[in-house]
Amino acid sequence: MKPFHPTPKTLMGPGPSDVPARILEAMARPTVGHLDPQFITLMDEIKTLLRFAFQTENALTFPVSAPGSAGMETCFVNLIEPGDTVVVCVNGVFGGRMVENVTRAGATAVVISDDWGKPVDPQKVEDTLKAHPEAKILAFVHAETSTGVLSDAKVLCTLAREHDCLTIVDAVTSLGGVPVKVDEWGVDAIYSGTQKCLSVPPGLSPISFGPRAIAAIEARVTPVQSWFLDLSLVMNYWEGPRSNSDSGSAKKSGRSYHHTAPINAMYALHEGLLMLHEEGLEAAFARHQTQHEALREGLEALGFSFLVEPDYRLPQLNTVCIPERVTDEAAIRKNLLEKHDLEIGAGLGALAGKVWRIGLMGASACPANVEQCLGALKQELG
Ligand SMILES: *Cc1c(COP(=O)(O)O)cnc(C)c1O
């Protein structure tokens, strides 16, 4: 066996996205201890940069040391106690996973289903919240990566608040690609991932919890079922000890070991967030939109149609219906990967074999990628 040197690929699937050399170089810097003062400084900067990305002042904002699914689980296990009722909106794969989290945490899931390819319907949410005054939480996916649909997080969070429900929002694919306004929308708990629109390698999950969510955690009568994801324990590492009577104070007396943070992965996240900060949020959103429009024009010229209506179409995840003349879509994806070094995503579930998912996430949202993708598809479709 020899050291592993993969052939570089252009990543235009549903994640991971292309990782800029600058971020890979940051990862190769010397590993230091997880309680080294230099590393504590880095952790503080990561929290500040994540507050910028999430557009929030929430003190409890940091990356969980595991991929997006662990951020999802962190939100559910910390906010749910056995016997709770949680309203979950399902319009694709990831909403389905939320239901799984709810039932495994011992709560009852009230499921609101919308068609794959459609956003969450606020009217159904309002009706369901009215019919279930016992509901404690409303959970939904902001950007459904399985279909390419954006739901209206602002409207859904307002409805939740009117019905005295906390919100859990999946922003794994939205963060960095489209606006995510945690404070303005009144989101209570939110999680994201690094390998989508932040263009950082997979393995970390940024989360943010607001004051109402923290109050719910402090009012728990049962311990969180997961030791690793129990925020009351992890916080001692990311924030230093908090005293219960004065949880808002900045009183810090050193941090204690909880787990060994993935040090070099944190270097990468810091660098990726720095790049987003240098570019600016609005510029990053505009770049995703511009590249999406260029790709859309080219794909439509090649005979593709979009699954999702323009009003709620994600710029960073383009779900296109495969033209009738294509008889073996898997063979084309294989050729793209092997002959053109280009990865695109297959359809999931009921959409398998019917659609492709073409990602323009983070650094992948650039003119060179759009051109490469359109050129390769033209060749392969003949
Ligand atoms: C990718 C994704 C996840 C899961 O993230 P992992 O890092 O793969 O665990 C969750 N929700 C959405 C919407 C995603 O796109």
Side-chain angles (χ1 to χ4, degrees):
M1 287 197 227
K2 308 191 297 282
F4 178 61
H5 288 282
T7 305
K9 302 285 174 181
T10 301
L11 298 177
M12 297 181 74
S17 54
D18 287 344
V19 180
R22 178 174 158 185
I23 293 175
L24 292 175
E25 282 157 16
M27 275 188 107
R29 289 174 197 151
T31 304
V32 299
H34 63 279
L35 290 169
D36 185 313
Q38 301 176 84
F39 188 67
I40 302 289
T41 302
L42 179 90
M43 290 165 79
D44 284 338
E45 286 190 15
I46 288 174
K47 290 198 291 184
T48 302
L49 287 164
L50 281 177
R51 284 184 202 110
F52 157 77
F54 276 125
Q55 305 193 47
T56 183
E57 302 289 325
N58 286 342
L60 186 52
T61 301
F62 71 93
V64 175
S65 298
S69 305
M72 175 186 278
E73 195 135 352
T74 300
C75 290
F76 284 95
V77 299
N78 281 278
L79 291 179
I80 290 177
E81 290 196 77
D84 285 345
T85 297
V86 181
V87 176
V88 187
C89 307
V90 180
N91 61 337
V93 167
F94 293 101
R97 287 195 183 174
M98 285 178 151
V99 176
E100 192 65 28
N101 270 266
V102 168
T103 51
R104 285 183 188 221
T108 301
V110 176
V111 176
I112 303 175
S113 295
D114 280 292
D115 289 341
W116 285 36
K118 293 277 188 299
V120 173
D121 178 356
Q123 188 59 55
K124 283 193 206 168
V125 171
E126 184 166 15
D127 296 345
T128 307
L129 290 175
K130 269 187 193 146
H132 290 274
E134 78 283 12
K136 175 180 171 186
I137 297 167
L138 173 71
F140 65 90
V141 178
H142 185 212
E144 237 316 334
T145 323
S146 59
T147 60
V149 164
L150 184 71
S151 286
D152 193 334
K154 184 182 182 179
V155 164
L156 298 175
C157 288
T158 304
L159 283 172
R161 196 149 281 210
E162 282 168 13
H163 291 84
D164 209 22
C165 273
L166 296 168
T167 42
I168 295 179
V169 179
D170 179 321
V172 177
T173 281
S174 47
L175 190 70
V178 292
V180 175
K181 302 182 178 183
V182 168
D183 287 0
E184 193 184 311
W185 297 344
V187 175
D188 294 304
I190 192 163
Y191 58 92
S192 189
T194 47
Q195 76 274 27
K196 314 248 169 148
C197 294
L198 298 179
S199 273
V200 170
L204 295 172
S205 178
I207 58 168
S208 184
F209 278 60
R212 297 200 317 159
I214 292 172
I217 295 172
E218 285 173 346
R220 290 183 69 99
V221 292
T222 55
V224 172
Q225 75 196 60
S226 163
W227 177 84
F228 184 64
L229 301 176
D230 182 343
L231 283 176
S232 63
L233 304 175
V234 189
M235 276 184 312
N236 290 334
Y237 178 47
W238 274 92
E239 297 202 318
R242 302 148 55 96
S243 65
N244 269 339
S245 55
D246 188 17
S247 56
S249 89
K251 181 168 156 282
K252 282 179 197 165
S253 54
R255 314 210 189 179
S256 55
Y257 168 69
H258 175 266
H259 65 278
T260 310
I263 310 288
N264 293 55
M266 296 294 178
Y267 299 172
L269 176 57
H270 181 266
E271 201 71 25
L273 290 169
L274 217 49
M275 288 173 72
L276 180 63
H277 191 260
E278 287 166 9
E279 181 177 20
L281 290 178
E282 293 307 321
F285 303 151
R287 174 170 51 80
H288 282 88
Q289 190 60 36
T290 307
Q291 297 313 314
H292 157 71
E293 278 160 22
L295 182 69
R296 175 186 54 77
E297 228 166 80
L299 289 171
E300 285 176 350
L302 289 173
F304 290 92
S305 61
F306 276 71
L307 177 78
V308 176
E309 294 302 318
D311 280 356
Y312 40 83
R313 196 180 279 168
L314 287 173
Q316 65 270 49
L317 200 281
N318 296 265
T319 306
V320 288
C321 306
I322 301 166
E324 297 259 323
R325 67 180 196 275
V326 175
T327 49
D328 188 353
E329 66 86 20
I332 292 187
R333 278 188 291 109
K334 185 164 176 272
N335 283 345
L336 291 176
L337 187 63
E338 290 176 359
K339 297 204 308 216
H340 301 269
D341 293 324
L342 171 69
E343 180 174 283
I344 65 167
L348 290 179
L351 296 174
K354 296 189 178 136
V355 301
W356 285 331
R357 293 178 300 147
I358 305 180
L360 288 170
M361 298 180 174
S364 295
C366 66
N369 280 23
V370 171
E371 201 176 308
Q372 184 188 351
C373 179
L374 293 173
L377 279 174
K378 203 174 219 164
Q379 268 190 36
E380 291 305 319
L381 291 170

